[in-house]
Amino acid sequence: MAKAFFRVSAVLLVAVVLLSLILPAAAYAADGVHVVRRGETLYSIARRYGVSVQAIASANGIRNPSRIYTGQRLRIPGKGGNSGSGSSGSSSGGTHVVRRGENLSLIARRYGTSVQAIASANGIRYPSRIYTGQRLRIPGRGSGGQGGGSKPPASGTKWIEVDLSSQRIAARQGDAVIQRMTVSTGTSRYPTPTGRFRIYAKYRSTNMSGPGYNLKGVPHTMYFYKGYALHGTYWHNNFGRPMSHGCINLTRWDAAWLYNWAPNGTLVVIHH
């Protein structure tokens, strides 16, 4: 009898401890605050809540998106109070929350855009794979970082064209090619997103971490979408072949040149 009593007591104690760990995390998320857990990155947290890395970084005064720490409390934009996550399925600020039975074609018709445009704006590789509750950015609506539709850059404007098929990029000014470079983009498992983006943060040196990698001092990094960036690469020399987790790897010399040439806000167009 005594053994059974202690066994039951031990089980109850473990259950109480687990609940004490789980419930606060759930409460933080409901209140618009996320507590960073071991192994998480700003990119994985942004994906979880359907917001951008830039939005979380701006809301929390984070200058370097790769530098967060376990236990850090992050305010999640648009997740405060009782506003929830838009469960009504309506669009707000250029965002649509997927409802049961919807597909990308139906959503595209509703907003007068194309399936390809929405897929590109959200980094969706397979348009048939969306899920109930997913938050989708609608191109041309709100103040998202992509936007722009298919409008070409103005004459004389600096922009960067990335060709995933040839593993080449071109630094352009209007229609003129200023510099061409061979790069390494994402693999089939970790694809580089396609679409139109804007460089939103630049770091001469930064640390990067994610599934299977932890890199120190990544040189001349320019973030253009969530955790994706153009940056210098010192850990491989296989340029011309897909090698990355989605970022665009350049030689250290090309990255330095591009970093000095392209200001924040420069358009980045990525296609196959």
Side-chain angles (χ1 to χ4, degrees):
M1 179 68 72
K3 289 183 178 180
F5 173 78
F6 284 116
R7 191 179 301 115
V8 171
S9 298
V11 171
L12 289 174
L13 179 61
V14 170
V16 169
V17 171
L18 289 175
L19 285 173
S20 68
L21 293 174
I22 294 170
L23 290 178
Y28 290 140
D31 289 342
V33 175
H34 178 86
V35 179
V36 178
R37 287 178 271 184
R38 186 178 181 85
E40 286 187 317
T41 64
L42 212 56
Y43 173 61
S44 67
I45 295 168
R47 287 187 62 183
R48 174 178 177 180
Y49 291 102
V51 298
S52 69
V53 169
Q54 182 185 12
I56 298 178
S58 298
N60 293 275
I62 297 173
R63 294 189 62 187
N64 188 337
S66 66
R67 294 182 180 173
I68 61 173
Y69 54 87
T70 302
Q72 184 175 2
R73 293 167 58 89
L74 298 176
R75 185 165 65 85
I76 308 301
K79 298 290 180 180
N82 297 319
S83 60
S85 59
S87 59
S88 65
S90 62
S91 65
S92 175
T95 300
H96 176 86
V97 181
V98 178
R99 290 179 288 187
R100 186 178 182 86
E102 287 187 319
N103 56 42
L104 221 51
S105 177
L106 183 67
I107 296 168
R109 286 201 302 270
R110 174 177 177 180
Y111 291 99
T113 185
S114 67
V115 169
Q116 182 180 6
I118 297 178
S120 295
N122 293 275
I124 297 173
R125 190 177 182 193
Y126 302 104
S128 61
R129 296 181 184 176
I130 62 172
Y131 53 88
T132 302
Q134 185 175 2
R135 295 170 64 87
L136 299 175
R137 179 181 297 167
I138 306 301
R141 302 174 67 89
S143 56
Q146 295 186 22
S150 59
K151 184 179 178 181
S155 177
T157 300
K158 290 181 177 181
W159 61 291
I160 299 168
E161 181 183 18
V162 182
D163 187 334
L164 300 177
S165 298
S166 67
Q167 294 290 288
R168 300 268 289 175
I169 72 173
R172 295 179 175 271
Q173 194 151 1
D175 293 330
V177 176
I178 307 302
Q179 185 83 285
R180 290 191 187 276
M181 307 168 189
T182 301
V183 299
S184 288
T185 60
T187 62
S188 57
R189 184 178 179 184
Y190 300 105
T192 299
T194 57
R196 296 164 67 89
F197 311 92
R198 297 273 176 184
I199 293 172
Y200 69 82
K202 298 176 62 176
Y203 304 98
R204 288 193 177 277
S205 179
T206 189
N207 299 330
M208 289 184 171
S209 62
Y213 68 94
N214 186 8
L215 303 167
K216 305 295 184 183
V218 179
H220 297 106
T221 298
M222 297 190 290
Y223 285 96
F224 59 85
Y225 176 58
K226 295 185 176 180
Y228 297 95
L230 298 119
H231 59 73
T233 309
Y234 57 77
W235 52 93
H236 78 76
N237 195 35
N238 296 320
F239 300 100
R241 296 174 53 193
M243 290 287 295
S244 79
H245 280 70
C247 286
I248 299 167
N249 293 180
L250 299 98
T251 69
R252 284 171 287 179
W253 301 272
D254 286 343
W257 183 92
L258 196 63
Y259 183 95
N260 291 322
W261 179 80
N264 265 331
T266 297
L267 176 67
V268 179
V269 179
I270 306 175
H271 62 81
H272 287 281

